[in-house]
Amino acid sequence: MNTKQYTMENKTNSETLQFIPKIRDMMHTHNFMFSYRGRFTQSITKSILSVTEKRLEIEKTETSTKKKVFNIMVECLQNICKHIEKADNTNSNAIFMIGKQKEEFIIYSGNTISNDKISGLQNKLTAINSMSREELKVVFGAIISGGDLSESGGAGLGLIDIAKKSGSKLEYNFEKIDEQISFFSLKTSIKQV
């Protein structure tokens, strides 16, 4: 009986470990430089920025591209910290990844969000994606000069800044977790200069 139990445990562990090569292959395919899932604190955020900055230097990334990537990373990380739904350990489900494909860097971020906030966020993202870079600059300036900021410092300012600096449309998804919470995923592409 013990032998059978031991074999089953080994089989379970073996099956469980099969995901590691899949993750390795996915990280290789997407050329992920960094991936983190868990709790986001000030010190972890600083570490993520530091590690990525060093990696960009190792890869001899152009200064202007490095600055864009770094600024967009800061905005994405701030969005996670400010807007994550604080319920039953959901903060540990937040994720941040950065990779490089051909001539562009890709930043993925994700966090839980209250279902009642989805419609407003989706409307902001749709509006942002419908604007040209020049329109984004005008709206960004108007929000800052008009003081039209929400309690969390937003009014979509961070998302506008991400779209403005990246020069690309923001890709996003909402995946329902339960009746109260969904998972919000954001993908930002930054072309190398």
Side-chain angles (χ1 to χ4, degrees):
M1 187 164 179
N2 285 346
T3 308
K4 189 174 185 180
Q5 193 173 18
Y6 177 77
T7 306
M8 289 300 288
E9 285 177 11
N10 280 349
K11 184 176 180 188
T12 304
N13 288 339
S14 176
E15 288 173 354
T16 304
L17 289 173
Q18 289 177 8
F19 77 95
I20 293 175
K22 290 176 186 173
I23 291 173
R24 182 204 61 215
D25 291 345
M26 188 180 86
M27 291 185 80
H28 177 73
T29 301
H30 295 285
N31 200 11
F32 283 123
M33 297 173 6
F34 187 86
S35 177
Y36 175 80
R37 178 193 165 273
R39 190 171 221 30
F40 282 76
T41 63
Q42 283 289 85
S43 62
I44 288 172
T45 299
K46 284 181 185 177
S47 296
I48 290 170
L49 293 170
S50 177
V51 166
T52 307
E53 186 176 31
K54 285 177 184 159
R55 182 70 190 264
L56 292 172
E57 287 171 13
I58 289 168
E59 296 205 3
K60 296 182 169 79
T61 307
E62 286 287 325
T63 304
S64 57
T65 302
K66 197 175 356 178
K67 186 176 175 182
K68 276 186 195 179
V69 169
F70 197 77
N71 288 335
I72 291 168
M73 282 178 59
V74 169
E75 287 296 341
C76 290
L77 291 165
Q78 284 179 347
N79 280 343
I80 290 171
C81 291
K82 284 182 188 175
H83 302 294
I84 191 164
E85 185 59 32
K86 307 270 196 271
D88 297 338
N89 296 322
T90 54
N91 192 11
S92 64
N93 290 324
I95 191 165
F96 178 86
M97 298 182 291
I98 181 167
K100 186 178 173 187
Q101 293 179 341
K102 296 180 184 176
E103 297 302 313
E104 62 184 10
F105 287 93
I106 312 286
I107 295 175
Y108 301 90
S109 59
N111 58 270
T112 51
I113 181 172
S114 175
N115 288 339
D116 61 2
K117 294 179 183 173
I118 291 174
S119 179
L121 179 55
Q122 198 161 24
N123 290 340
K124 284 179 187 176
L125 288 162
T126 300
I128 289 167
N129 280 339
S130 71
M131 293 184 222
S132 68
R133 203 173 202 170
E134 288 305 312
E135 290 170 321
L136 289 166
K137 287 179 187 176
V138 170
V139 171
F140 186 86
I143 291 172
I144 291 205
S145 64
D148 186 20
L149 300 174
S150 69
E151 276 182 32
S152 60
L157 198 60
L159 293 170
I160 293 168
D161 200 31
I162 290 169
K164 180 173 66 88
K165 286 179 178 158
S166 71
S168 60
K169 301 298 179 193
L170 303 178
E171 295 180 46
Y172 60 91
N173 184 53
F174 297 96
E175 185 178 340
K176 188 175 178 180
I177 295 171
D178 60 33
E179 295 306 313
Q180 286 80 39
I181 295 172
S182 290
F183 193 81
F184 167 58
S185 303
L186 180 68
K187 175 185 174 187
T188 308
S189 303
I190 307 134
K191 293 200 185 322
Q192 290 192 79
V193 178

